[in-house]
Amino acid sequence: EIYFRDAKMYGRTDIGGRDKRNEDAVYLNPEKRLIAGADGMGGHHYGDLAAGFTLANVHKNIGQGIPLEGIAESACYDLRMSFMDADIDPDELGMFFAPGATLGIIQEHDGMLDGFIIGDYKALIIDVTDKEILCVSKDQSELQALIDGGIIEEQARAKYPDAQNLLSNSVMITENNLLEQPPAYFKQNIPKGHTLVSITYSDGISDALSPEVILQMVLEEFAKEGDIRGLGQRVSEEAKKTQQDEAAKGSIGKAHPDNVSIAIMVSEG
């Protein structure tokens, strides 16, 4: 758990419903007004290291003044070099199970919120003043491609868990050290006089809670004291509870036991 009260930034990661290790990681940079999270890919080697290395490279690159586009473009190469520096040759692990992670970043600058997601990490921007969702990222997955193509309806998403887990993009060690496709970029203006809440979170939360449910939690917290630490804890605990409830019911296509991570930033227009 990380909390910068004055900067209005909070981050938390939890093992969630899993009984082994946590392969999620979060990163906050108050100076650069940036929040990020990474989720090591399940079933692949060194998921925890992949998530940690990915965010360590975000920290290094943002400190060197590299823009978000440059951070995305070099993410796969940077991940390879991090493993090599740790005396782990990723090529010996086999490309099918090569280490990888999903990634979500939001940065505030010049009255704007910029960001991107890679894979199925989630980004959500909420206008507390107008009580509405301004931006919600789309997954880079085979399921999302089918929904965008009109083959599957959005309401039927939960019926296709296998397609949801097939990512069309990730920060992964590849032969050419490049992403499979460009990240999903987004921009959002910060209206004057408005309070915006930016949130990045892993699929351990997005599989359990809809953006509309999180919106309601945000509005309820800000109707009281606007405690983002309490908000982050509440979202995480509710996601874990949903995972447990669905596991007990043996539900298919619903939230499954997973790590949960969330990062929150408040911006004032």
Side-chain angles (χ1 to χ4, degrees):
E1 186 178 67
I2 314 168
Y3 184 33
F4 295 105
R5 183 189 299 271
D6 293 342
K8 298 182 180 180
M9 302 172 77
Y10 174 81
R12 172 189 175 94
T13 181
D14 191 291
I15 197 169
R18 284 189 174 178
D19 59 1
K20 295 184 180 179
R21 65 179 181 271
N22 190 347
E23 296 187 340
D24 285 4
V26 295
Y27 170 67
L28 311 179
N29 189 321
E31 180 183 355
K32 299 293 184 179
R33 296 296 296 165
L34 181 145
I35 59 174
D39 181 356
M41 292 175 60
H44 291 247
H45 295 290
Y46 298 111
D48 52 344
L49 291 181
F53 286 155
T54 295
L55 293 186
N57 289 327
V58 170
H59 173 72
K60 177 189 69 176
N61 290 332
I62 203 73
Q64 294 174 353
I66 297 175
L68 295 186
E69 292 81 359
I71 290 174
E73 289 173 3
S74 67
C76 294
Y77 173 78
D78 290 341
L79 183 60
R80 172 181 287 277
M81 296 309 298
S82 294
F83 272 96
M84 297 295 287
D85 290 344
D87 293 327
I88 301 172
D89 186 349
D91 293 329
E92 293 182 354
L93 303 175
M95 297 308 296
F96 186 75
F97 294 107
T102 60
L103 174 64
I105 292 179
I106 304 176
Q107 184 176 30
E108 176 190 341
H109 65 92
D110 303 321
M112 295 286 297
L113 291 166
D114 273 340
F116 65 80
I117 64 102
I118 297 174
D120 61 357
Y121 215 87
K122 212 72 174 176
L124 178 65
I125 301 175
I126 292 171
D127 187 329
V128 176
T129 306
D130 281 349
K131 302 180 180 180
E132 64 178 354
I133 294 173
L134 297 180
C135 175
V136 57
S137 62
K138 285 188 176 183
D139 294 346
Q140 293 187 309
S141 67
E142 296 299 328
L143 178 58
Q144 188 63 56
L146 293 172
I147 292 173
D148 291 343
I151 299 173
I152 296 175
E153 294 185 357
E154 175 67 37
Q155 294 83 347
R157 175 184 291 272
K159 297 181 180 180
Y160 301 90
D162 291 339
Q164 176 66 35
N165 292 328
L166 291 174
L167 300 180
S168 57
N169 206 19
S170 63
V171 180
M172 182 179 284
I173 295 171
T174 60
E175 292 182 358
N176 61 6
N177 296 318
L178 296 174
L179 295 168
E180 291 294 320
Q181 65 186 76
Y185 290 102
F186 54 86
K187 289 180 180 289
Q188 178 61 54
N189 180 57
I190 305 174
K192 186 175 181 180
H194 286 228
T195 298
L196 269 56
V197 175
S198 301
I199 310 174
T200 60
Y201 50 103
S202 66
D203 62 345
I205 292 177
S206 62
D207 287 348
L209 306 175
S210 69
E212 291 74 20
V213 168
I214 296 176
L215 166 65
Q216 190 59 39
M217 291 183 182
V218 169
L219 296 180
E220 288 173 0
E221 290 298 330
F222 274 77
K224 297 183 289 186
E225 298 178 356
D227 177 15
I228 61 171
R229 185 179 189 182
L231 171 64
Q233 293 171 343
R234 180 181 174 188
V235 172
S236 297
E237 292 303 316
E238 188 62 30
K240 288 163 59 178
K241 181 179 182 299
T242 301
Q243 290 180 13
Q244 293 165 358
D245 291 346
E246 296 298 336
K249 292 188 295 185
S251 301
I252 299 175
K254 300 291 185 180
H256 58 280
D258 200 358
N259 307 142
V260 297
S261 59
I262 185 170
I264 304 171
M265 174 173 63
V266 178
S267 304
E268 304 286 352

